[in-house]
mmCIF file of all heavy atoms in Angstrom:
data_model
loop_
_atom_site.group_PDB
_atom_site.id
_atom_site.type_symbol
_atom_site.label_atom_id
_atom_site.label_comp_id
_atom_site.label_asym_id
_atom_site.label_seq_id
_atom_site.Cartn_x
_atom_site.Cartn_y
_atom_site.Cartn_z
ATOM 1 N N ASP A 1 0.851 -1.185 0.000
ATOM 2 C CA ASP A 1 0.000 0.000 0.000
ATOM 3 C C ASP A 1 0.892 1.242 0.000
ATOM 4 O O ASP A 1 1.537 1.547 0.998
ATOM 5 C CB ASP A 1 -0.898 0.006 1.241
ATOM 6 C CG ASP A 1 -1.899 1.139 1.232
ATOM 7 O OD1 ASP A 1 -1.861 1.991 0.322
ATOM 8 O OD2 ASP A 1 -2.740 1.173 2.146
ATOM 9 N N PRO A 2 0.961 1.974 -1.133
ATOM 10 C CA PRO A 2 1.855 3.134 -1.197
ATOM 11 C C PRO A 2 1.425 4.284 -0.292
ATOM 12 O O PRO A 2 2.251 5.103 0.099
ATOM 13 C CB PRO A 2 1.810 3.546 -2.668
ATOM 14 C CG PRO A 2 0.580 2.935 -3.226
ATOM 15 C CD PRO A 2 0.273 1.735 -2.406
ATOM 16 N N GLU A 3 0.149 4.352 0.071
ATOM 17 C CA GLU A 3 -0.314 5.431 0.944
ATOM 18 C C GLU A 3 0.247 5.296 2.359
ATOM 19 O O GLU A 3 0.640 6.277 2.984
ATOM 20 C CB GLU A 3 -1.836 5.464 0.974
ATOM 21 C CG GLU A 3 -2.453 5.849 -0.363
ATOM 22 C CD GLU A 3 -3.967 5.794 -0.336
ATOM 23 O OE1 GLU A 3 -4.543 5.572 0.741
ATOM 24 O OE2 GLU A 3 -4.566 5.965 -1.412
ATOM 25 N N THR A 4 0.265 4.052 2.874
ATOM 26 C CA THR A 4 0.788 3.832 4.221
ATOM 27 C C THR A 4 2.211 3.292 4.210
ATOM 28 O O THR A 4 2.814 3.146 5.260
ATOM 29 C CB THR A 4 -0.110 2.839 4.983
ATOM 30 O OG1 THR A 4 -0.116 1.589 4.282
ATOM 31 C CG2 THR A 4 -1.516 3.375 5.109
ATOM 32 N N MET A 5 2.746 3.009 3.007
ATOM 33 C CA MET A 5 4.082 2.464 2.821
ATOM 34 C C MET A 5 4.282 1.173 3.627
ATOM 35 O O MET A 5 5.309 0.973 4.256
ATOM 36 C CB MET A 5 5.151 3.499 3.162
ATOM 37 C CG MET A 5 5.147 4.647 2.176
ATOM 38 S SD MET A 5 6.570 5.724 2.275
ATOM 39 C CE MET A 5 6.363 6.490 3.849
ATOM 40 N N THR A 6 3.267 0.309 3.614
ATOM 41 C CA THR A 6 3.345 -0.968 4.305
ATOM 42 C C THR A 6 2.749 -2.066 3.428
ATOM 43 O O THR A 6 2.001 -1.788 2.494
ATOM 44 C CB THR A 6 2.562 -0.942 5.635
ATOM 45 O OG1 THR A 6 1.197 -0.623 5.359
ATOM 46 C CG2 THR A 6 3.143 0.072 6.602
ATOM 47 N N LYS A 7 3.078 -3.294 3.772
ATOM 48 C CA LYS A 7 2.438 -4.435 3.133
ATOM 49 C C LYS A 7 1.196 -4.772 3.940
ATOM 50 O O LYS A 7 1.177 -4.612 5.164
ATOM 51 C CB LYS A 7 3.359 -5.649 3.137
ATOM 52 C CG LYS A 7 4.574 -5.499 2.286
ATOM 53 C CD LYS A 7 5.392 -6.769 2.405
ATOM 54 C CE LYS A 7 6.757 -6.604 1.795
ATOM 55 N NZ LYS A 7 7.594 -7.788 2.009
ATOM 56 N N LYS A 8 0.175 -5.259 3.249
ATOM 57 C CA LYS A 8 -1.008 -5.702 3.972
ATOM 58 C C LYS A 8 -1.653 -6.858 3.233
ATOM 59 O O LYS A 8 -1.442 -7.037 2.028
ATOM 60 C CB LYS A 8 -1.999 -4.570 4.194
ATOM 61 C CG LYS A 8 -2.664 -4.027 2.961
ATOM 62 C CD LYS A 8 -3.624 -2.916 3.360
ATOM 63 C CE LYS A 8 -4.521 -2.517 2.226
ATOM 64 N NZ LYS A 8 -5.508 -1.545 2.629
ATOM 65 N N ASN A 9 -2.388 -7.672 3.960
ATOM 66 C CA ASN A 9 -3.103 -8.791 3.381
ATOM 67 C C ASN A 9 -4.523 -8.365 3.072
ATOM 68 O O ASN A 9 -5.203 -7.801 3.938
ATOM 69 C CB ASN A 9 -3.128 -9.975 4.341
ATOM 70 C CG ASN A 9 -1.759 -10.556 4.564
ATOM 71 O OD1 ASN A 9 -0.882 -10.420 3.724
ATOM 72 N ND2 ASN A 9 -1.563 -11.204 5.688
ATOM 73 N N VAL A 10 -4.972 -8.624 1.849
ATOM 74 C CA VAL A 10 -6.339 -8.298 1.453
ATOM 75 C C VAL A 10 -7.015 -9.572 0.963
ATOM 76 O O VAL A 10 -6.363 -10.488 0.468
ATOM 77 C CB VAL A 10 -6.374 -7.207 0.358
ATOM 78 C CG1 VAL A 10 -5.796 -5.903 0.873
ATOM 79 C CG2 VAL A 10 -5.651 -7.651 -0.899
ATOM 80 N N THR A 11 -8.326 -9.642 1.093
ATOM 81 C CA THR A 11 -9.067 -10.800 0.633
ATOM 82 C C THR A 11 -8.996 -10.867 -0.895
ATOM 83 O O THR A 11 -8.689 -9.878 -1.560
ATOM 84 C CB THR A 11 -10.539 -10.737 1.056
ATOM 85 O OG1 THR A 11 -11.148 -9.606 0.429
ATOM 86 C CG2 THR A 11 -10.672 -10.634 2.570
ATOM 87 N N LEU A 12 -9.302 -12.036 -1.434
ATOM 88 C CA LEU A 12 -9.277 -12.178 -2.889
ATOM 89 C C LEU A 12 -10.283 -11.251 -3.554
ATOM 90 O O LEU A 12 -9.995 -10.669 -4.599
ATOM 91 C CB LEU A 12 -9.572 -13.623 -3.278
ATOM 92 C CG LEU A 12 -8.506 -14.637 -2.869
ATOM 93 C CD1 LEU A 12 -8.974 -16.037 -3.212
ATOM 94 C CD2 LEU A 12 -7.188 -14.340 -3.503
ATOM 95 N N ASP A 13 -11.470 -11.093 -2.953
ATOM 96 C CA ASP A 13 -12.475 -10.193 -3.525
ATOM 97 C C ASP A 13 -11.978 -8.750 -3.549
ATOM 98 O O ASP A 13 -12.137 -8.041 -4.543
ATOM 99 C CB ASP A 13 -13.789 -10.288 -2.753
ATOM 100 C CG ASP A 13 -14.500 -11.609 -2.978
ATOM 101 O OD1 ASP A 13 -14.257 -12.235 -4.042
ATOM 102 O OD2 ASP A 13 -15.281 -12.015 -2.105
ATOM 103 N N GLU A 14 -11.370 -8.296 -2.439
ATOM 104 C CA GLU A 14 -10.848 -6.924 -2.402
ATOM 105 C C GLU A 14 -9.718 -6.752 -3.413
ATOM 106 O O GLU A 14 -9.618 -5.723 -4.082
ATOM 107 C CB GLU A 14 -10.342 -6.577 -1.004
ATOM 108 C CG GLU A 14 -9.823 -5.151 -0.906
ATOM 109 C CD GLU A 14 -9.286 -4.788 0.462
ATOM 110 O OE1 GLU A 14 -9.486 -5.554 1.417
ATOM 111 O OE2 GLU A 14 -8.647 -3.727 0.560
ATOM 112 N N TYR A 15 -8.867 -7.778 -3.554
ATOM 113 C CA TYR A 15 -7.784 -7.690 -4.529
ATOM 114 C C TYR A 15 -8.345 -7.531 -5.930
ATOM 115 O O TYR A 15 -7.889 -6.693 -6.697
ATOM 116 C CB TYR A 15 -6.894 -8.931 -4.448
ATOM 117 C CG TYR A 15 -5.795 -8.903 -5.486
ATOM 118 C CD1 TYR A 15 -4.677 -8.100 -5.305
ATOM 119 C CD2 TYR A 15 -5.888 -9.647 -6.646
ATOM 120 C CE1 TYR A 15 -3.674 -8.041 -6.251
ATOM 121 C CE2 TYR A 15 -4.888 -9.602 -7.604
ATOM 122 C CZ TYR A 15 -3.793 -8.795 -7.404
ATOM 123 O OH TYR A 15 -2.802 -8.731 -8.354
ATOM 124 N N ARG A 16 -9.355 -8.324 -6.275
ATOM 125 C CA ARG A 16 -9.943 -8.259 -7.612
ATOM 126 C C ARG A 16 -10.595 -6.908 -7.879
ATOM 127 O O ARG A 16 -10.522 -6.382 -8.987
ATOM 128 C CB ARG A 16 -10.964 -9.381 -7.779
ATOM 129 C CG ARG A 16 -10.322 -10.745 -7.842
ATOM 130 C CD ARG A 16 -11.357 -11.853 -7.853
ATOM 131 N NE ARG A 16 -10.715 -13.154 -7.792
ATOM 132 C CZ ARG A 16 -11.151 -14.164 -7.067
ATOM 133 N NH1 ARG A 16 -12.250 -14.043 -6.345
ATOM 134 N NH2 ARG A 16 -10.510 -15.305 -7.067
ATOM 135 N N GLU A 17 -11.239 -6.344 -6.872
ATOM 136 C CA GLU A 17 -11.951 -5.075 -7.056
ATOM 137 C C GLU A 17 -11.027 -3.861 -7.023
ATOM 138 O O GLU A 17 -11.225 -2.915 -7.772
ATOM 139 C CB GLU A 17 -13.015 -4.924 -5.968
ATOM 140 C CG GLU A 17 -14.149 -5.912 -6.078
ATOM 141 C CD GLU A 17 -15.092 -5.846 -4.878
ATOM 142 O OE1 GLU A 17 -15.013 -4.883 -4.091
ATOM 143 O OE2 GLU A 17 -15.900 -6.781 -4.733
ATOM 144 N N VAL A 18 -10.027 -3.871 -6.139
ATOM 145 C CA VAL A 18 -9.247 -2.669 -5.885
ATOM 146 C C VAL A 18 -7.818 -2.753 -6.415
ATOM 147 O O VAL A 18 -7.332 -1.818 -7.051
ATOM 148 C CB VAL A 18 -9.203 -2.389 -4.361
ATOM 149 C CG1 VAL A 18 -8.363 -1.158 -4.060
ATOM 150 C CG2 VAL A 18 -10.610 -2.244 -3.807
ATOM 151 N N TRP A 19 -7.138 -3.858 -6.188
ATOM 152 C CA TRP A 19 -5.695 -3.907 -6.384
ATOM 153 C C TRP A 19 -5.249 -4.513 -7.703
ATOM 154 O O TRP A 19 -4.167 -4.189 -8.195
ATOM 155 C CB TRP A 19 -5.047 -4.694 -5.242
ATOM 156 C CG TRP A 19 -5.265 -4.062 -3.919
ATOM 157 C CD1 TRP A 19 -6.293 -4.315 -3.046
ATOM 158 C CD2 TRP A 19 -4.496 -3.037 -3.317
ATOM 159 N NE1 TRP A 19 -6.186 -3.522 -1.944
ATOM 160 C CE2 TRP A 19 -5.088 -2.723 -2.080
ATOM 161 C CE3 TRP A 19 -3.347 -2.357 -3.704
ATOM 162 C CZ2 TRP A 19 -4.570 -1.768 -1.234
ATOM 163 C CZ3 TRP A 19 -2.831 -1.405 -2.850
ATOM 164 C CH2 TRP A 19 -3.439 -1.114 -1.638
ATOM 165 N N ARG A 20 -6.005 -5.402 -8.309
ATOM 166 C CA ARG A 20 -5.520 -6.131 -9.494
ATOM 167 C C ARG A 20 -5.207 -5.194 -10.651
ATOM 168 O O ARG A 20 -4.209 -5.353 -11.328
ATOM 169 C CB ARG A 20 -6.523 -7.193 -9.933
ATOM 170 C CG ARG A 20 -5.991 -7.943 -11.134
ATOM 171 C CD ARG A 20 -6.687 -9.206 -11.505
ATOM 172 N NE ARG A 20 -8.115 -9.221 -11.362
ATOM 173 C CZ ARG A 20 -8.825 -10.331 -11.419
ATOM 174 N NH1 ARG A 20 -8.236 -11.487 -11.610
ATOM 175 N NH2 ARG A 20 -10.120 -10.293 -11.287
ATOM 176 N N LYS A 21 -6.039 -4.212 -10.899
ATOM 177 C CA LYS A 21 -5.810 -3.280 -12.007
ATOM 178 C C LYS A 21 -4.475 -2.557 -11.830
ATOM 179 O O LYS A 21 -3.726 -2.365 -12.775
ATOM 180 C CB LYS A 21 -6.970 -2.282 -12.082
ATOM 181 C CG LYS A 21 -6.912 -1.373 -13.267
ATOM 182 C CD LYS A 21 -7.177 -2.136 -14.542
ATOM 183 C CE LYS A 21 -7.273 -1.192 -15.709
ATOM 184 N NZ LYS A 21 -7.385 -1.875 -16.971
ATOM 185 N N ARG A 22 -4.165 -2.208 -10.605
ATOM 186 C CA ARG A 22 -2.910 -1.522 -10.322
ATOM 187 C C ARG A 22 -1.715 -2.434 -10.536
ATOM 188 O O ARG A 22 -0.643 -2.002 -10.941
ATOM 189 C CB ARG A 22 -2.923 -1.038 -8.873
ATOM 190 C CG ARG A 22 -1.711 -0.230 -8.487
ATOM 191 C CD ARG A 22 -1.463 -0.325 -7.027
ATOM 192 N NE ARG A 22 -1.235 -1.732 -6.712
ATOM 193 C CZ ARG A 22 -0.482 -2.147 -5.718
ATOM 194 N NH1 ARG A 22 0.072 -1.287 -4.923
ATOM 195 N NH2 ARG A 22 -0.303 -3.420 -5.494
ATOM 196 N N ASP A 23 -1.899 -3.741 -10.295
ATOM 197 C CA ASP A 23 -0.801 -4.700 -10.402
ATOM 198 C C ASP A 23 -0.591 -5.247 -11.807
ATOM 199 O O ASP A 23 0.327 -6.017 -12.029
ATOM 200 C CB ASP A 23 -1.040 -5.892 -9.466
ATOM 201 C CG ASP A 23 -0.770 -5.533 -8.008
ATOM 202 O OD1 ASP A 23 -0.176 -4.471 -7.762
ATOM 203 O OD2 ASP A 23 -1.155 -6.318 -7.140
ATOM 204 N N GLU A 24 -1.433 -4.870 -12.769
ATOM 205 C CA GLU A 24 -1.274 -5.391 -14.123
ATOM 206 C C GLU A 24 0.063 -4.941 -14.698
ATOM 207 O O GLU A 24 0.464 -3.792 -14.569
ATOM 208 C CB GLU A 24 -2.416 -4.924 -15.028
ATOM 209 C CG GLU A 24 -3.699 -5.660 -14.773
ATOM 210 C CD GLU A 24 -4.816 -5.208 -15.705
ATOM 211 O OE1 GLU A 24 -4.598 -4.315 -16.534
ATOM 212 O OE2 GLU A 24 -5.909 -5.751 -15.560
ATOM 213 N N ILE A 25 0.733 -5.871 -15.349
ATOM 214 C CA ILE A 25 2.041 -5.589 -15.926
ATOM 215 C C ILE A 25 1.873 -5.415 -17.428
ATOM 216 O O ILE A 25 1.290 -6.262 -18.101
ATOM 217 C CB ILE A 25 3.017 -6.742 -15.627
ATOM 218 C CG1 ILE A 25 3.236 -6.856 -14.124
ATOM 219 C CG2 ILE A 25 4.330 -6.548 -16.362
ATOM 220 C CD1 ILE A 25 4.107 -8.022 -13.725
ATOM 221 N N THR A 26 2.390 -4.314 -17.951
ATOM 222 C CA THR A 26 2.321 -4.072 -19.390
ATOM 223 C C THR A 26 3.343 -4.952 -20.097
ATOM 224 O O THR A 26 4.277 -5.477 -19.485
ATOM 225 C CB THR A 26 2.605 -2.600 -19.717
ATOM 226 O OG1 THR A 26 3.954 -2.311 -19.357
ATOM 227 C CG2 THR A 26 1.657 -1.677 -18.979
ATOM 228 N N SER A 27 3.193 -5.117 -21.406
ATOM 229 C CA SER A 27 4.133 -5.955 -22.155
ATOM 230 C C SER A 27 5.538 -5.371 -22.098
ATOM 231 O O SER A 27 6.524 -6.103 -22.089
ATOM 232 C CB SER A 27 3.670 -6.123 -23.597
ATOM 233 O OG SER A 27 3.604 -4.872 -24.237
ATOM 234 N N ASN A 28 5.670 -4.041 -22.046
ATOM 235 C CA ASN A 28 7.001 -3.425 -21.943
ATOM 236 C C ASN A 28 7.646 -3.754 -20.598
ATOM 237 O O ASN A 28 8.844 -4.008 -20.528
ATOM 238 C CB ASN A 28 6.922 -1.908 -22.124
ATOM 239 C CG ASN A 28 6.643 -1.525 -23.551
ATOM 240 O OD1 ASN A 28 6.900 -2.287 -24.474
ATOM 241 N ND2 ASN A 28 6.100 -0.336 -23.748
ATOM 242 N N GLN A 29 6.845 -3.741 -19.516
ATOM 243 C CA GLN A 29 7.382 -4.089 -18.202
ATOM 244 C C GLN A 29 7.768 -5.563 -18.163
ATOM 245 O O GLN A 29 8.784 -5.921 -17.581
ATOM 246 C CB GLN A 29 6.356 -3.801 -17.110
ATOM 247 C CG GLN A 29 6.099 -2.326 -16.890
ATOM 248 C CD GLN A 29 4.914 -2.109 -15.978
ATOM 249 O OE1 GLN A 29 3.904 -2.806 -16.069
ATOM 250 N NE2 GLN A 29 5.024 -1.132 -15.095
ATOM 251 N N LEU A 30 6.961 -6.400 -18.796
ATOM 252 C CA LEU A 30 7.234 -7.839 -18.813
ATOM 253 C C LEU A 30 8.560 -8.134 -19.512
ATOM 254 O O LEU A 30 9.325 -8.988 -19.080
ATOM 255 C CB LEU A 30 6.091 -8.568 -19.514
ATOM 256 C CG LEU A 30 6.041 -10.077 -19.380
ATOM 257 C CD1 LEU A 30 5.958 -10.476 -17.915
ATOM 258 C CD2 LEU A 30 4.859 -10.629 -20.128
ATOM 259 N N LYS A 31 8.878 -7.396 -20.568
ATOM 260 C CA LYS A 31 10.138 -7.586 -21.283
ATOM 261 C C LYS A 31 11.338 -7.263 -20.398
ATOM 262 O O LYS A 31 12.392 -7.860 -20.534
ATOM 263 C CB LYS A 31 10.176 -6.719 -22.544
ATOM 264 C CG LYS A 31 9.252 -7.234 -23.632
ATOM 265 C CD LYS A 31 9.280 -6.326 -24.832
ATOM 266 C CE LYS A 31 8.266 -6.779 -25.865
ATOM 267 N NZ LYS A 31 8.199 -5.888 -27.005
ATOM 268 N N LEU A 32 11.176 -6.328 -19.458
ATOM 269 C CA LEU A 32 12.249 -6.002 -18.552
ATOM 270 C C LEU A 32 12.634 -7.187 -17.662
ATOM 271 O O LEU A 32 13.770 -7.317 -17.225
ATOM 272 C CB LEU A 32 11.861 -4.818 -17.639
ATOM 273 C CG LEU A 32 11.713 -3.473 -18.310
ATOM 274 C CD1 LEU A 32 11.180 -2.457 -17.326
ATOM 275 C CD2 LEU A 32 13.049 -3.010 -18.880
ATOM 276 N N PHE A 33 11.654 -8.068 -17.417
ATOM 277 C CA PHE A 33 11.889 -9.231 -16.561
ATOM 278 C C PHE A 33 12.165 -10.483 -17.377
ATOM 279 O O PHE A 33 12.137 -11.579 -16.857
ATOM 280 C CB PHE A 33 10.705 -9.452 -15.622
ATOM 281 C CG PHE A 33 10.508 -8.321 -14.659
ATOM 282 C CD1 PHE A 33 9.513 -7.386 -14.863
ATOM 283 C CD2 PHE A 33 11.343 -8.179 -13.566
ATOM 284 C CE1 PHE A 33 9.341 -6.329 -13.980
ATOM 285 C CE2 PHE A 33 11.181 -7.133 -12.679
ATOM 286 C CZ PHE A 33 10.178 -6.210 -12.890
ATOM 287 N N GLY A 34 12.392 -10.344 -18.675
ATOM 288 C CA GLY A 34 12.772 -11.472 -19.511
ATOM 289 C C GLY A 34 11.621 -12.282 -20.049
ATOM 290 O O GLY A 34 11.824 -13.370 -20.553
#
């Protein structure tokens, strides 16, 4: 969580609704990781 600068555990439903879009990796980012 960048707002609190901490890690936190969220339920799968909350992850799908709130966090997954933020965690999507673009094809350019994926190329950086091989």
Side-chain angles (χ1 to χ4, degrees):
D1 186 355
E3 294 176 6
T4 61
M5 293 192 293
T6 59
K7 293 179 191 175
K8 67 180 191 175
N9 294 335
V10 297
T11 63
L12 293 175
D13 290 335
E14 181 181 349
Y15 178 77
R16 290 174 185 139
E17 292 173 13
V18 178
W19 298 92
R20 181 167 38 193
K21 186 69 174 174
R22 184 206 60 151
D23 285 347
E24 284 181 359
I25 297 176
T26 65
S27 61
N28 288 338
Q29 291 170 320
L30 193 58
K31 288 178 185 176
L32 292 173
F33 296 102

